[in-house]
Amino acid sequence: MTTNASAMYADLSLSLSEAGAGRPVLVLHGGGGPATVAGLAQHISRTAHTLTPVHPGWDGTGRPAWLAGIDDLAVAYLHLLRDRRLRDVLVVGSSLGGWIAAEMAVRDSAGSITGLVLVDAVGVQVETEPITDFFALDARGVAEHSWHDPDRYYVDPAGLPAEELARRQANMATMRILAGDPYMHDRTLLRRLGQVQVPSLLLWGESDRIVTPAYGAAYADAFGDGRLEVVPKAGHLPQIEQPEATFALIDAYMRELGDPSDQQ
């Protein structure tokens, strides 16, 4: 089911897909758009109530001018949880979506979030592991840095329909506005993550060259209760390149979290 879910802001309307029943799970896509987490959300919806928004400005959706940073988006999604009166929420974020999830967790004064899964997330500054400048790469460079098997996933932009090329370019323009300066990180986020005490699983493709597994290890270590799991033969989007292994790790983590109703 897809609905337009208004947050607390009169000029912000969220395009939101919902499926399944059980623990609420907010699934946040990265710069590639909602298609990058569609299979992941579908899998999770077998055992949980998934909510998968399209970030404002992606795929032709509206973005109000005041929504100009990842922190703005994190606060908007926290208000969505509050407006829906959702508790015991698991937030799963891929790449840019992982950064949003981390920013939500450090701001979650209501305690709505009880679990985090970050998949090859950006968002922190690790001095020894700089984030690759995605905007400086051509299409072949993006494939080489993003995939374990770049030949399989490389797409020549010259072969794309005009509408699809325009969609991708518009998505990248929005990402530049929200995360272009400073590039793909908040300078203070790494040191603030220690206050997040909910169990936090960080999944990382072993071949990711956008943000390396060493970057992921530093990210995981910064959480109060974080751990890193590396997915073999996968790059920046292990949920696409190695879905079975990725889903198995998430399923095991959700079993560890348990059923919220059992804790009442």
Side-chain angles (χ1 to χ4, degrees):
M1 178 178 69
T2 302
T3 60
N4 283 329
S6 297
M8 67 169 290
Y9 311 102
D11 59 347
L12 176 61
S13 181
L14 294 175
S15 178
L16 186 71
S17 297
E18 297 187 62
R23 174 193 293 274
V25 181
L26 181 67
V27 181
L28 303 174
H29 68 77
T36 61
V37 295
L40 175 60
Q42 182 180 31
H43 175 80
I44 295 174
S45 71
R46 297 174 184 176
T47 57
H49 172 204
T50 59
L51 301 94
T52 311
V54 179
H55 305 324
W58 265 263
D59 285 12
T61 57
R63 180 189 61 84
W66 58 262
L67 203 158
I70 296 300
D71 53 348
D72 297 323
L73 199 47
V75 171
Y77 286 142
L78 283 172
H79 281 295
L80 172 68
L81 301 185
R82 186 200 67 181
D83 292 347
R84 291 290 190 95
R85 298 180 181 178
L86 298 175
R87 308 288 299 176
D88 293 303
V89 179
L90 169 61
V91 184
V92 179
S94 169
S95 188
L96 191 79
W99 179 6
I100 299 167
E103 293 281 6
M104 291 177 67
V106 298
R107 290 170 168 79
D108 182 27
S109 57
S112 301
I113 298 170
T114 54
L116 287 174
V117 176
L118 275 56
V119 184
D120 292 78
V122 297
V124 299
Q125 185 176 35
V126 179
E127 295 293 346
T128 57
E129 299 292 331
I131 304 169
T132 295
D133 187 351
F134 184 88
F135 298 127
L137 300 174
D138 61 13
R140 186 69 206 185
V142 169
E144 293 287 347
H145 283 75
S146 301
W147 303 103
H148 176 78
D149 185 358
D151 290 338
R152 179 180 178 186
Y153 292 96
Y154 168 68
V155 176
D156 185 349
L160 292 173
E163 289 184 2
E164 173 61 15
L165 188 60
R167 183 191 70 83
R168 294 187 179 202
Q169 291 172 339
N171 287 352
M172 290 302 99
T174 299
M175 191 159 68
R176 280 184 181 273
I177 292 170
L178 295 184
D181 186 18
Y183 174 72
M184 292 295 171
H185 73 278
D186 181 303
R187 295 185 181 93
T188 69
L189 180 57
L190 193 68
R191 61 177 171 80
R192 289 186 285 130
L193 291 176
Q195 71 193 59
V196 179
Q197 296 297 319
V198 302
S200 302
L201 173 65
L202 281 80
L203 298 180
W204 232 264
E206 68 170 352
S207 301
D208 191 353
R209 294 173 59 204
I210 300 292
V211 278
T212 66
Y215 176 97
Y219 213 146
D221 287 346
F223 282 98
D225 182 8
R227 78 173 192 264
L228 176 72
E229 296 281 356
V230 176
V231 181
K233 298 182 180 180
H236 193 62
L237 298 170
Q239 70 272 20
I240 293 176
E241 205 163 11
Q242 295 294 339
E244 290 186 7
T246 303
F247 297 167
L249 288 166
I250 294 174
D251 290 347
Y253 168 81
M254 292 181 68
R255 288 193 295 270
E256 291 173 11
L257 285 184
D259 187 338
S261 63
D262 294 339
Q263 303 169 19
Q264 295 177 353

